[in-house]
Amino acid sequence: MCGDAPIRLPERRDPFVASVGAAWRRLTGPTPDDQRRTLVACSGGADSSALAIALRSVNSSRSNLVIAHVRHDLRSPSEVASDAHQAEHLADRLGLPYVEADVEVLRRPGNAEANARDARYESLASLAKNHACRFVATGHHADDQLESLLMALLRGAGVAGLRGVAPARPLDETTRLIRPMLDLDRADAERICQSAGWAWAEDESNRDVGRLRAALREHVTPVLRTLRPSAPHRAAATARVMREVQQVLSMHARIATDCARLGDAPTWSRAALREMPPALVAETLRAAVAERVAARFAGQDRLPERLLRPAVEAIRSASGETRSFDWACGTLLVERDTVTLRFRDPTSRDEVDHGEQSGQIDRDQHG
């Protein structure tokens, strides 16, 4: 800690502050600043601390910001208490209100890290509603984007996976998640904290190289930054391009799906699908599943590349043999002239019991 004096706020024209402020206004939309009330998710680490400091620097009104911290049970009670104290102390030194919440993760089935992320976002959305915030801001930055793209490459992700961390997305029907630091890197964040006189907390779990992201951060990205110091910023730029590519694919996929014979089982002309690039065929199938299934099969509205690729190859092949592909949401039937997607009855007992053959994908690593 650096005493209890107020934080030395950096000037608004500081490049980091100016970039965060511009991104914050862009991501919160065309509205006066006094209507951009934002809950700032803060762990007490350098990234989220720098975000809070920068947003406080560009906001003359303290009523626009609330510092929030979510405590979970994956770490020791002493570490949890220390992190919460750090976040609260920062809020106090910035003159901002502080709120916190507790979530239980260990009792949830499945991947603990994914569960912690989901629980954290659920809790942040709830805190935002309770404190009249339309937006929740997190401190993800260009280094996170580089790590996310490397993880996507290692798991063989398609275009959708290579979009990286999204700059904004809905948390629920009333709250939007924003990430104003994606064009900045970890070194930028640490510089702002140092210049403000703030000693951030270090999360020891980030050093657990048993986790892929931590291993990449420890062993891989330092080498990449040595070879190309701008690697994080180049990764952020690539992710932006891939998001634009995904938007184009999604637009054409919607058109293709609208042209299908709809009903309980959408049916396409196989000849029409054959004329499309493979990536567009895959996106068309994804779009059809997402549109029909999301409301009925929680978590099964996305299809991973490993399931789509064999189906796309079968559709584009010259064979007239009938092929079928069983997914958690239903069955894709590839016949000589048509391709039909028959959705499973949501009341069926075996609707989600398909393991590797299901349409489920590993939970989004990019929050």
Side-chain angles (χ1 to χ4, degrees), residues 121-138:
Y121 284 134
E122 290 167 8
S123 185
L124 288 171
S126 178
L127 287 171
K129 284 183 179 179
N130 293 342
H131 296 277
C133 295
R134 294 171 53 203
F135 306 98
V136 172
T138 66

Side-chain angles (χ1 to χ4, degrees), residues 175-356:
T175 311
R176 190 161 181 80
L177 176 69
I178 61 172
R179 297 180 171 112
M181 283 173 46
L182 283 183
D183 290 330
L184 302 161
D185 61 27
R186 185 174 289 113
D188 295 323
E190 292 179 356
R191 177 186 64 81
I192 282 296
C193 290
Q194 290 167 349
S195 67
W198 173 248
W200 64 89
E202 294 285 356
D203 184 349
E204 291 303 317
S205 67
N206 287 334
R207 303 181 187 277
D208 177 11
V209 294
R211 298 165 53 238
L212 177 57
R213 185 179 290 274
L216 290 172
R217 184 175 301 171
E218 181 73 17
H219 301 301
V220 178
T221 56
V223 176
L224 294 178
R225 294 198 67 153
T226 299
L227 296 172
R228 291 288 187 275
S230 61
H233 300 281
R234 294 188 180 192
T238 297
R240 282 196 297 274
V241 171
M242 296 307 286
R243 284 195 293 274
E244 293 167 0
V245 171
Q246 180 64 32
Q247 289 173 353
V248 173
L249 285 174
S250 297
M251 178 183 68
H252 286 283
R254 285 194 297 272
I255 294 172
T257 298
D258 289 344
C259 293
R261 296 202 304 272
L262 302 180
D264 290 337
T267 301
W268 295 266
S269 160
R270 187 174 172 189
L273 292 182
R274 276 199 189 107
E275 294 178 359
M276 297 180 183
L280 182 52
V281 177
E283 188 59 32
T284 297
L285 298 177
R286 278 197 189 96
V289 170
E291 180 180 341
R292 301 301 184 85
V293 175
R296 302 192 301 170
F297 296 85
Q300 297 177 40
D301 60 331
R302 299 177 61 198
L303 290 169
E305 193 73 11
R306 69 176 185 275
L307 297 181
L308 280 169
R309 183 56 52 183
V312 171
E313 290 174 354
I315 290 169
R316 291 173 55 81
S317 75
S319 171
E321 178 186 1
T322 297
R323 299 278 305 277
S324 66
F325 299 86
D326 289 329
W327 298 334
C329 61
T331 299
L332 183 76
L333 192 64
V334 180
E335 299 179 284
R336 189 187 67 179
D337 299 316
T338 59
V339 176
T340 304
L341 186 51
R342 296 175 179 170
F343 292 106
R344 200 175 309 283
D345 180 354
T347 63
S348 171
R349 291 175 58 88
D350 64 349
E351 64 190 59
V352 295
D353 189 22
H354 288 273
E356 280 298 305

Side-chain angles (χ1 to χ4, degrees), residues 135-157:
F135 306 98
V136 172
T138 66
H140 293 91
H141 46 67
D143 290 271
D144 295 317
Q145 197 70 288
L146 174 58
E147 293 160 6
S148 294
L149 262 62
L150 290 173
M151 292 169 70
L153 286 171
L154 291 175
R155 70 173 183 266

Side-chain angles (χ1 to χ4, degrees), residues 61-188:
S61 172
R62 297 181 184 183
S63 63
N64 252 5
L65 303 172
V66 177
I67 302 296
H69 180 79
V70 178
R71 301 150 54 112
H72 59 72
D73 55 359
L74 292 184
R75 303 175 68 196
S76 70
S78 62
E79 290 175 314
V80 170
S82 176
D83 288 347
H85 176 72
Q86 186 83 348
E88 185 175 14
H89 188 57
L90 176 62
D92 181 61
R93 292 186 63 192
L94 289 172
L96 297 174
Y98 171 80
V99 297
E100 65 180 20
D102 292 285
V103 296
E104 289 189 356
V105 177
L106 290 177
R107 293 184 181 181
R108 297 191 180 196
N111 180 273
E113 191 173 344
N115 288 340
R117 181 176 59 250
D118 292 345
R120 181 168 63 251
Y121 284 134
E122 290 167 8
S123 185
L124 288 171
S126 178
L127 287 171
K129 284 183 179 179
N130 293 342
H131 296 277
C133 295
R134 294 171 53 203
F135 306 98
V136 172
T138 66
H140 293 91
H141 46 67
D143 290 271
D144 295 317
Q145 197 70 288
L146 174 58
E147 293 160 6
S148 294
L149 262 62
L150 290 173
M151 292 169 70
L153 286 171
L154 291 175
R155 70 173 183 266
V159 172
L162 293 171
R163 292 175 300 176
V165 182
R169 68 172 177 84
L171 272 183
D172 58 24
E173 66 280 359
T174 61
T175 311
R176 190 161 181 80
L177 176 69
I178 61 172
R179 297 180 171 112
M181 283 173 46
L182 283 183
D183 290 330
L184 302 161
D185 61 27
R186 185 174 289 113
D188 295 323

